[in-house]
Amino acid sequence: DAKTTQPPSMDCAEGRAANLPCNHSTISGNEYVYWYRQIHSQGPQYIIHGLKNNETNEMASLIITEDRKSSTLILPHATLRDTAVYYCIVRPNTGNQFYFGTGTSLTVIP
Amino acid sequence: GAVVSQHPSWVICKSGTSVKIECRSLDFQATTMFWYRQFPKQSLMLMATSNEGSKATYEQGVEKDKFLINHASLTLSTLTVTSAHPEDSSFYICSVIRLGKKNIQYFGAGTRLSVL
């Protein structure tokens, strides 16, 4: 499985956009990029995923570079409830297993 | 609403006893479920893949006789931690794949196991 690299921690001011980067330079052609987040002592929550096109849903936007070697998760207006660990995962659409990296601990500051 | 139900949310047991954790998919059938373990301040580690009607597939380094997985129905998988010891204290999380929904994996709320 392709591995991902994320900064260990980030801060973001409440109301501002939070931009969380992920490097997946060894991603292969059939691997999707998934983003999950985990609020303390809870199970991970699905946010968004994509293959090569940018994606947007009610929670966030996902920007994938043209070479697909990196991506950015954007939370457009961060709130205190967005404080969590954010995981970027790559896996084939035909495969089932998710292997989590260390993630980015995002702290939204009032 | 919740897609996956995990029970119990918190369990304390004595060393040497066995603990069973249930994972249920709600409103849909799940042929495949997954079990993860998470130690404090660490990431989730995949333990095993639970397949309905067949034996579970364990990740390297996970003792299959220690962590018994049963997936007897399309909506229920159980993880039994046998002869639990303090080092088994951890946060156990299950997940399910909802087929047809872009292969998104949904996670349970987790079970906090404390072995005294």
Side-chain angles (χ1 to χ4, degrees):
Chain A
D1 290 343
K3 293 185 177 179
T4 61
T5 304
Q6 299 177 253
S9 63
M10 291 181 63
D11 292 338
C12 177
E14 187 178 17
R16 295 292 191 98
N19 297 283
L20 293 94
C22 179
N23 183 291
H24 32 79
S25 58
T26 59
I27 193 171
S28 57
N30 66 341
E31 291 186 312
Y32 281 68
V33 180
Y34 288 77
W35 282 84
Y36 282 75
R37 72 181 182 184
Q38 185 178 27
I39 296 171
H40 183 63
S41 295
Q42 297 182 23
Q45 175 190 22
Y46 168 79
I47 301 174
I48 199 168
H49 79 288
L51 182 62
K52 54 183 177 181
N53 296 323
N54 297 338
E55 302 287 344
T56 296
N57 62 21
E58 64 278 5
M59 289 184 69
S61 294
L62 173 61
I63 308 298
I64 303 174
T65 57
E66 193 170 344
D67 63 7
R68 303 208 323 121
K69 293 185 177 182
S70 65
S71 61
T72 301
L73 177 74
I74 301 173
L75 307 178
H77 305 287
T79 70
L80 299 179
R81 288 183 294 180
D82 292 323
T83 293
V85 178
Y86 288 76
Y87 294 100
C88 167
I89 304 162
V90 295
R91 75 166 181 88
N93 194 40
T94 54
N96 290 331
Q97 287 83 356
F98 274 10
Y99 294 95
F100 283 75
T102 53
T104 296
S105 178
L106 174 70
T107 301
V108 180
I109 302 169
Chain B
V3 176
V4 182
S5 172
Q6 191 171 338
H7 177 81
S9 57
W10 192 19
V11 57
I12 301 173
C13 70
K14 293 182 179 179
S15 185
T17 61
S18 295
V19 175
K20 180 183 286 187
I21 303 170
E22 293 186 348
C23 180
R24 294 182 184 273
S25 61
L26 306 177
D27 301 326
F28 67 96
Q29 296 178 335
T31 57
T32 304
M33 295 184 179
F34 305 91
W35 289 95
Y36 293 81
R37 179 169 54 180
Q38 186 176 32
F39 292 107
K41 298 189 184 302
Q42 294 187 22
S43 186
L44 284 80
M45 288 176 43
L46 179 64
M47 298 175 67
T49 302
S50 171
N51 303 296
E52 187 271 336
S54 64
K55 292 183 179 180
T57 303
Y58 291 82
E59 294 295 305
Q60 190 173 8
V62 178
E63 301 174 57
K64 61 180 181 181
D65 295 329
K66 172 76 172 177
F67 300 99
L68 300 179
I69 292 173
N70 184 281
H71 194 156
S73 79
L74 289 172
T75 59
L76 174 65
S77 175
T78 61
L79 168 69
T80 301
V81 183
T82 63
S83 187
H85 292 284
E87 58 266 30
D88 298 322
S89 298
S90 187
F91 193 50
Y92 292 87
I93 310 168
C94 71
S95 70
V96 304
I97 290 271
R98 189 166 187 174
L99 296 179
K101 291 290 185 180
K102 304 178 183 178
N103 285 356
I104 294 171
Q105 200 165 128
Y106 295 93
F107 289 81
T111 297
R112 176 80 53 195
L113 171 63
S114 296
V115 184
L116 304 178

